[in-house]
PDB file of all heavy atoms in Angstrom:
ATOM      1  N   ILE N   3     127.904  96.969 118.025  1.00 55.00           N
ATOM      2  CA  ILE N   3     128.496  98.231 118.501  1.00 55.00           C
ATOM      3  C   ILE N   3     129.718  97.875 119.261  1.00 55.00           C
ATOM      4  O   ILE N   3     129.653  97.125 120.282  1.00 55.00           O
ATOM      5  CB  ILE N   3     127.453  99.018 119.467  1.00 55.00           C
ATOM      6  CG1 ILE N   3     126.182  99.319 118.703  1.00 55.00           C
ATOM      7  CG2 ILE N   3     128.147 100.286 119.978  1.00 55.00           C
ATOM      8  CD1 ILE N   3     125.123  99.917 119.588  1.00 55.00           C
ATOM      9  N   THR N   5     132.671  97.870 121.845  1.00 60.00           N
ATOM     10  CA  THR N   5     132.936  98.338 123.200  1.00 60.00           C
ATOM     11  C   THR N   5     134.215  97.722 123.643  1.00 60.00           C
ATOM     12  O   THR N   5     134.723  96.813 123.006  1.00 60.00           O
ATOM     13  CB  THR N   5     131.801  98.007 124.148  1.00 60.00           C
ATOM     14  OG1 THR N   5     131.721  96.626 124.271  1.00 60.00           O
ATOM     15  CG2 THR N   5     130.477  98.564 123.720  1.00 60.00           C
ATOM     16  N   THR N  11     124.313  95.393 121.406  1.00 59.00           N
ATOM     17  CA  THR N  11     123.549  95.527 120.200  1.00 59.00           C
ATOM     18  C   THR N  11     122.543  96.645 120.367  1.00 59.00           C
ATOM     19  O   THR N  11     122.170  97.009 121.505  1.00 59.00           O
ATOM     20  CB  THR N  11     122.772  94.258 119.911  1.00 59.00           C
ATOM     21  OG1 THR N  11     121.981  93.869 120.966  1.00 59.00           O
ATOM     22  CG2 THR N  11     123.734  93.109 119.500  1.00 59.00           C
ATOM     23  N   ARG N  18     107.965 104.964 112.798  1.00 65.00           N
ATOM     24  CA  ARG N  18     106.602 104.940 113.286  1.00 65.00           C
ATOM     25  C   ARG N  18     106.089 106.351 113.542  1.00 65.00           C
ATOM     26  O   ARG N  18     106.829 107.206 114.081  1.00 65.00           O
ATOM     27  CB  ARG N  18     106.510 104.124 114.573  1.00 65.00           C
ATOM     28  CG  ARG N  18     105.142 104.158 115.254  1.00 65.00           C
ATOM     29  CD  ARG N  18     105.095 103.368 116.534  1.00 65.00           C
ATOM     30  NE  ARG N  18     105.299 101.988 116.156  1.00 65.00           N
ATOM     31  CZ  ARG N  18     105.731 101.061 117.065  1.00 65.00           C
ATOM     32  NH1 ARG N  18     106.064 101.410 118.261  1.00 65.00           N
ATOM     33  NH2 ARG N  18     105.830  99.812 116.698  1.00 65.00           N
ATOM     34  N   ALA N  23      95.736 112.268 113.608  1.00 65.00           N
ATOM     35  CA  ALA N  23      94.290 112.317 113.536  1.00 65.00           C
ATOM     36  C   ALA N  23      93.738 111.254 112.571  1.00 65.00           C
ATOM     37  O   ALA N  23      94.243 111.143 111.509  1.00 65.00           O
ATOM     38  CB  ALA N  23      93.762 113.751 113.104  1.00 65.00           C
ATOM     39  N   THR N  28      86.147 109.040 109.537  1.00 63.00           N
ATOM     40  CA  THR N  28      85.106 108.469 110.301  1.00 63.00           C
ATOM     41  C   THR N  28      83.766 108.683 109.642  1.00 63.00           C
ATOM     42  O   THR N  28      83.615 109.554 108.808  1.00 63.00           O
ATOM     43  CB  THR N  28      85.032 109.204 111.712  1.00 63.00           C
ATOM     44  OG1 THR N  28      84.804 110.595 111.456  1.00 63.00           O
ATOM     45  CG2 THR N  28      86.272 109.013 112.529  1.00 63.00           C
ATOM     46  N   GLY N  29      82.822 107.746 109.984  1.00 61.00           N
ATOM     47  CA  GLY N  29      81.484 107.856 109.400  1.00 61.00           C
ATOM     48  C   GLY N  29      81.488 107.950 107.927  1.00 61.00           C
ATOM     49  O   GLY N  29      82.183 107.184 107.190  1.00 61.00           O
ATOM     50  N   GLN N  33      87.773 108.235 103.865  1.00 84.00           N
ATOM     51  CA  GLN N  33      88.344 108.326 102.529  1.00 84.00           C
ATOM     52  C   GLN N  33      89.861 108.514 102.611  1.00 84.00           C
ATOM     53  O   GLN N  33      90.337 109.097 103.613  1.00 84.00           O
ATOM     54  CB  GLN N  33      87.698 109.340 101.700  1.00 84.00           C
ATOM     55  CG  GLN N  33      87.812 110.771 102.254  1.00 84.00           C
ATOM     56  CD  GLN N  33      87.073 111.769 101.373  1.00 84.00           C
ATOM     57  OE1 GLN N  33      87.082 111.623 100.146  1.00 84.00           O
ATOM     58  NE2 GLN N  33      86.498 112.795 102.001  1.00 84.00           N
ATOM     59  N   GLU N  44     115.405  91.131  92.959  1.00 89.00           N
ATOM     60  CA  GLU N  44     114.800  89.867  92.483  1.00 89.00           C
ATOM     61  C   GLU N  44     114.887  88.742  93.508  1.00 89.00           C
ATOM     62  O   GLU N  44     113.983  87.908  93.541  1.00 89.00           O
ATOM     63  CB  GLU N  44     115.553  89.379  91.169  1.00 89.00           C
ATOM     64  CG  GLU N  44     115.248  90.179  89.956  1.00 89.00           C
ATOM     65  CD  GLU N  44     116.003  89.724  88.746  1.00 89.00           C
ATOM     66  OE1 GLU N  44     116.902  88.913  88.843  1.00 89.00           O
ATOM     67  OE2 GLU N  44     115.649  90.263  87.633  1.00 89.00           O
ATOM     68  N   VAL N  54     103.497  99.626 104.354  1.00 91.00           N
ATOM     69  CA  VAL N  54     102.851 100.533 105.296  1.00 91.00           C
ATOM     70  C   VAL N  54     101.764  99.708 106.103  1.00 91.00           C
ATOM     71  O   VAL N  54     100.998  98.956 105.482  1.00 91.00           O
ATOM     72  CB  VAL N  54     102.116 101.699 104.587  1.00 91.00           C
ATOM     73  CG1 VAL N  54     101.453 102.592 105.661  1.00 91.00           C
ATOM     74  CG2 VAL N  54     103.121 102.514 103.850  1.00 91.00           C
ATOM     75  N   GLY N  63      93.219  94.055 114.695  1.00 86.00           N
ATOM     76  CA  GLY N  63      91.853  93.862 114.312  1.00 86.00           C
ATOM     77  C   GLY N  63      91.255  95.035 113.545  1.00 86.00           C
ATOM     78  O   GLY N  63      90.287  94.874 112.814  1.00 86.00           O
ATOM     79  N   PHE N  68      99.418  97.785 103.298  1.00 93.00           N
ATOM     80  CA  PHE N  68      99.856  97.742 101.944  1.00 93.00           C
ATOM     81  C   PHE N  68     101.169  96.947 102.016  1.00 93.00           C
ATOM     82  O   PHE N  68     102.096  97.299 102.690  1.00 93.00           O
ATOM     83  CB  PHE N  68     100.144  99.138 101.415  1.00 93.00           C
ATOM     84  CG  PHE N  68      99.914  99.387  99.956  1.00 93.00           C
ATOM     85  CD1 PHE N  68      99.034  98.711  99.183  1.00 93.00           C
ATOM     86  CD2 PHE N  68     100.599 100.463  99.343  1.00 93.00           C
ATOM     87  CE1 PHE N  68      98.813  99.000  97.872  1.00 93.00           C
ATOM     88  CE2 PHE N  68     100.454 100.745  98.016  1.00 93.00           C
ATOM     89  CZ  PHE N  68      99.528 100.010  97.293  1.00 93.00           C
ATOM     90  N   VAL N  80      92.274  95.278 104.304  1.00 92.00           N
ATOM     91  CA  VAL N  80      91.563  96.061 105.240  1.00 92.00           C
ATOM     92  C   VAL N  80      90.894  95.114 106.295  1.00 92.00           C
ATOM     93  O   VAL N  80      90.183  94.169 105.856  1.00 92.00           O
ATOM     94  CB  VAL N  80      90.472  96.924 104.572  1.00 92.00           C
ATOM     95  CG1 VAL N  80      89.706  97.701 105.578  1.00 92.00           C
ATOM     96  CG2 VAL N  80      91.090  97.844 103.610  1.00 92.00           C
ATOM     97  N   GLY N  84      87.988  93.180 113.870  1.00 86.00           N
ATOM     98  CA  GLY N  84      88.593  91.923 114.074  1.00 86.00           C
ATOM     99  C   GLY N  84      88.464  91.003 112.894  1.00 86.00           C
ATOM    100  O   GLY N  84      89.021  89.881 112.898  1.00 86.00           O
ATOM    101  N   ILE N  96     106.597  92.437  91.390  1.00 92.00           N
ATOM    102  CA  ILE N  96     107.375  93.644  91.582  1.00 92.00           C
ATOM    103  C   ILE N  96     108.811  93.441  92.123  1.00 92.00           C
ATOM    104  O   ILE N  96     109.545  94.393  92.271  1.00 92.00           O
ATOM    105  CB  ILE N  96     106.644  94.609  92.504  1.00 92.00           C
ATOM    106  CG1 ILE N  96     106.446  94.036  93.871  1.00 92.00           C
ATOM    107  CG2 ILE N  96     105.346  95.067  91.858  1.00 92.00           C
ATOM    108  CD1 ILE N  96     106.000  95.068  94.894  1.00 92.00           C
ATOM    109  N   HIS N 102     108.992 100.648  91.100  1.00 95.00           N
ATOM    110  CA  HIS N 102     107.576 100.721  90.736  1.00 95.00           C
ATOM    111  C   HIS N 102     106.916 101.759  91.591  1.00 95.00           C
ATOM    112  O   HIS N 102     107.148 101.875  92.822  1.00 95.00           O
ATOM    113  CB  HIS N 102     106.931  99.388  90.960  1.00 95.00           C
ATOM    114  CG  HIS N 102     107.456  98.314  90.081  1.00 95.00           C
ATOM    115  ND1 HIS N 102     107.139  98.186  88.756  1.00 95.00           N
ATOM    116  CD2 HIS N 102     108.381  97.299  90.360  1.00 95.00           C
ATOM    117  CE1 HIS N 102     107.745  97.151  88.274  1.00 95.00           C
ATOM    118  NE2 HIS N 102     108.522  96.636  89.197  1.00 95.00           N
ATOM    119  N   TRP N 108      90.640 104.496  99.046  1.00 88.00           N
ATOM    120  CA  TRP N 108      89.492 103.980  99.780  1.00 88.00           C
ATOM    121  C   TRP N 108      88.542 105.090 100.127  1.00 88.00           C
ATOM    122  O   TRP N 108      88.931 106.263 100.187  1.00 88.00           O
ATOM    123  CB  TRP N 108      89.888 103.255 101.103  1.00 88.00           C
ATOM    124  CG  TRP N 108      90.538 104.140 102.099  1.00 88.00           C
ATOM    125  CD1 TRP N 108      89.895 104.867 103.070  1.00 88.00           C
ATOM    126  CD2 TRP N 108      91.961 104.443 102.245  1.00 88.00           C
ATOM    127  NE1 TRP N 108      90.781 105.610 103.809  1.00 88.00           N
ATOM    128  CE2 TRP N 108      92.065 105.393 103.297  1.00 88.00           C
ATOM    129  CE3 TRP N 108      93.074 104.093 101.537  1.00 88.00           C
ATOM    130  CZ2 TRP N 108      93.300 105.903 103.704  1.00 88.00           C
ATOM    131  CZ3 TRP N 108      94.312 104.577 101.983  1.00 88.00           C
ATOM    132  CH2 TRP N 108      94.377 105.515 103.055  1.00 88.00           C
ATOM    133  N   GLU N 123      95.075  97.404  88.518  1.00 91.00           N
ATOM    134  CA  GLU N 123      95.079  95.905  88.548  1.00 91.00           C
ATOM    135  C   GLU N 123      94.263  95.509  89.715  1.00 91.00           C
ATOM    136  O   GLU N 123      94.022  96.173  90.692  1.00 91.00           O
ATOM    137  CB  GLU N 123      96.476  95.410  88.756  1.00 91.00           C
ATOM    138  CG  GLU N 123      97.446  95.822  87.687  1.00 91.00           C
ATOM    139  CD  GLU N 123      98.873  95.291  87.843  1.00 91.00           C
ATOM    140  OE1 GLU N 123      99.052  94.488  88.815  1.00 91.00           O
ATOM    141  OE2 GLU N 123      99.728  95.644  87.084  1.00 91.00           O
ATOM    142  N   SER N 129      81.758  96.814  99.229  1.00 88.00           N
ATOM    143  CA  SER N 129      80.958  96.561 100.455  1.00 88.00           C
ATOM    144  C   SER N 129      81.882  96.462 101.684  1.00 88.00           C
ATOM    145  O   SER N 129      81.515  95.835 102.679  1.00 88.00           O
ATOM    146  CB  SER N 129      80.188  95.241 100.268  1.00 88.00           C
ATOM    147  OG  SER N 129      81.075  94.183 100.071  1.00 88.00           O
ATOM    148  N   THR N 131      83.937  97.432 104.989  1.00 86.00           N
ATOM    149  CA  THR N 131      83.844  98.357 106.188  1.00 86.00           C
ATOM    150  C   THR N 131      85.273  98.912 106.373  1.00 86.00           C
ATOM    151  O   THR N 131      86.201  98.101 106.527  1.00 86.00           O
ATOM    152  CB  THR N 131      83.408  97.550 107.403  1.00 86.00           C
ATOM    153  OG1 THR N 131      82.064  97.070 107.169  1.00 86.00           O
ATOM    154  CG2 THR N 131      83.353  98.440 108.639  1.00 86.00           C
ATOM    155  N   GLU N 135      89.291 105.217 113.846  1.00 79.00           N
ATOM    156  CA  GLU N 135      90.358 105.544 114.811  1.00 79.00           C
ATOM    157  C   GLU N 135      91.694 105.032 114.445  1.00 79.00           C
ATOM    158  O   GLU N 135      92.540 104.623 115.315  1.00 79.00           O
ATOM    159  CB  GLU N 135      89.976 104.931 116.184  1.00 79.00           C
ATOM    160  CG  GLU N 135      88.592 105.337 116.682  1.00 79.00           C
ATOM    161  CD  GLU N 135      88.415 106.838 116.811  1.00 79.00           C
ATOM    162  OE1 GLU N 135      89.355 107.540 117.145  1.00 79.00           O
ATOM    163  OE2 GLU N 135      87.328 107.304 116.472  1.00 79.00           O
ATOM    164  N   ASN N 157     109.106 108.279  98.759  1.00 93.00           N
ATOM    165  CA  ASN N 157     107.968 109.079  98.330  1.00 93.00           C
ATOM    166  C   ASN N 157     106.629 108.561  98.810  1.00 93.00           C
ATOM    167  O   ASN N 157     105.652 108.573  98.068  1.00 93.00           O
ATOM    168  CB  ASN N 157     107.985 109.199  96.792  1.00 93.00           C
ATOM    169  CG  ASN N 157     109.164 109.961  96.236  1.00 93.00           C
ATOM    170  OD1 ASN N 157     109.675 110.804  96.916  1.00 93.00           O
ATOM    171  ND2 ASN N 157     109.626 109.551  95.095  1.00 93.00           N
ATOM    172  N   ILE N 160     100.290 109.696 101.941  1.00 85.00           N
ATOM    173  CA  ILE N 160      99.018 109.241 102.369  1.00 85.00           C
ATOM    174  C   ILE N 160      98.109 110.435 102.331  1.00 85.00           C
ATOM    175  O   ILE N 160      98.366 111.446 102.983  1.00 85.00           O
ATOM    176  CB  ILE N 160      99.018 108.660 103.783  1.00 85.00           C
ATOM    177  CG1 ILE N 160      99.986 107.437 103.807  1.00 85.00           C
ATOM    178  CG2 ILE N 160      97.609 108.266 104.251  1.00 85.00           C
ATOM    179  CD1 ILE N 160     100.205 106.844 105.174  1.00 85.00           C
ATOM    180  N   ARG N 162      94.239 112.251 102.770  1.00 78.00           N
ATOM    181  CA  ARG N 162      93.042 112.038 103.584  1.00 78.00           C
ATOM    182  C   ARG N 162      91.855 112.392 102.711  1.00 78.00           C
ATOM    183  O   ARG N 162      90.803 112.811 103.169  1.00 78.00           O
ATOM    184  CB  ARG N 162      93.095 112.956 104.799  1.00 78.00           C
ATOM    185  CG  ARG N 162      94.235 112.493 105.709  1.00 78.00           C
ATOM    186  CD  ARG N 162      94.244 113.222 106.969  1.00 78.00           C
ATOM    187  NE  ARG N 162      93.054 112.801 107.715  1.00 78.00           N
ATOM    188  CZ  ARG N 162      92.676 113.371 108.834  1.00 78.00           C
ATOM    189  NH1 ARG N 162      93.358 114.371 109.315  1.00 78.00           N
ATOM    190  NH2 ARG N 162      91.620 112.955 109.434  1.00 78.00           N
ATOM    191  N   LYS N 169      95.632 106.736  89.045  1.00 62.00           N
ATOM    192  CA  LYS N 169      96.542 106.525  87.922  1.00 62.00           C
ATOM    193  C   LYS N 169      97.486 107.691  87.745  1.00 62.00           C
ATOM    194  O   LYS N 169      98.653 107.559  87.495  1.00 62.00           O
ATOM    195  CB  LYS N 169      95.754 106.201  86.655  1.00 62.00           C
ATOM    196  CG  LYS N 169      95.085 104.886  86.613  1.00 62.00           C
ATOM    197  CD  LYS N 169      94.241 104.666  85.428  1.00 62.00           C
ATOM    198  CE  LYS N 169      95.134 104.334  84.260  1.00 62.00           C
ATOM    199  NZ  LYS N 169      94.343 103.875  83.096  1.00 62.00           N
TER     200      LYS N 169
END
Side-chain angles (χ1 to χ4, degrees):
I3 300 171
T5 64
T11 57
R18 173 179 293 158
T28 58
Q33 59 182 325
E44 287 179 350
V54 179
F68 211 27
V80 177
I96 62 167
H102 296 280
W108 64 90
E123 301 181 6
S129 62
T131 300
E135 307 303 323
N157 296 328
I160 300 174
R162 296 187 68 187
K169 289 174 76 170

